[in-house]
Amino acid sequence: MANKAVFLDRDGVVNVDHAYVYKIEDFEFIDGVFEACQLFQAAGYKIVIVTNQSGIGRGYYSEQDFHLLTKWMVAQFSAHDIEVSKVYFCPHHPTKGVAGYQQDCDCRKPKPGMLLRGVEELALDASECIMFGDKGSDMLAAKAAGFKKKILVKSGQSLSEQELLLADEVWDSLDCAREKFSENN
Ligand SMILES: [Mg+2]
Ligand SMILES: [Zn+2]
C-alpha cells in the first residue's frame, strides 16, 4: 500500500478561525474533525498538519506559545485514537515580520515547503496525498507539491470564485467526511 497522508491546514479546518489563535481557551475544534481523521486513518492515511503562523513573525505570540498549544492539540487527537504524524508551521511573513521572521521563505503557503518536507520526512507518495484547506493558498501549495487531490472546506475563510476553481472538491467542513470520503480516495 502506498505511504500516503491527509494534510490539514489548521485554522478554519481543524479549529474555528478566530484569527491568530494561540491560547488553548480560544482553540475550538470544528465539528466532525476527529471522526473525519478516524476515517482517514482507517483508510491508511497518516495525518499531517501544515499551518501558516505569521502571528509569530508579527510578534503577536511566540514559538513557545505555538508549541504549547500544539502539544495540547495533538493530545486531543490522541485521546480520539488519532496519531498526528507531524505538525509543520511557518512563522514568517514577507513584509510584516519582526527581526529574522521577515523573509520570503519557502514554507509559507501557497509555497509548498511544509508539504514537501512532510513528504520527505514521512517518505510519502505525494501523488497519493490529499490536502484540506480553507483558502486558495492551501490549494496552490498542494498543486505545487503534486498531491492527488485538494479539497476546500467552507468552515473557515469566505471563498472567492477564483479560489473555488482551484479545488477538486468543495466540502462544507470535515464533518462531511462520512458522506464524501470513501476508501477509493
Ligand atoms: Mg486556514
Ligand atoms: Zn516560512
Side-chain angles (χ1 to χ4, degrees), residues 97-137:
V98 295
Y101 288 117
Q102 181 161 318
Q103 49 173 285
D104 205 2
C105 62
D106 292 326
C107 40
R108 181 174 166 81
K109 294 172 286 183
K111 299 268 185 66
M114 293 188 283
L115 288 65
L116 295 174
R117 213 173 134 199
V119 166
E120 189 184 329
E121 292 182 357
L122 295 167
L124 301 170
D125 181 347
S127 68
E128 293 295 326
C129 291
I130 301 174
M131 175 82 211
F132 284 92
D134 69 326
K135 281 188 180 177
S137 54

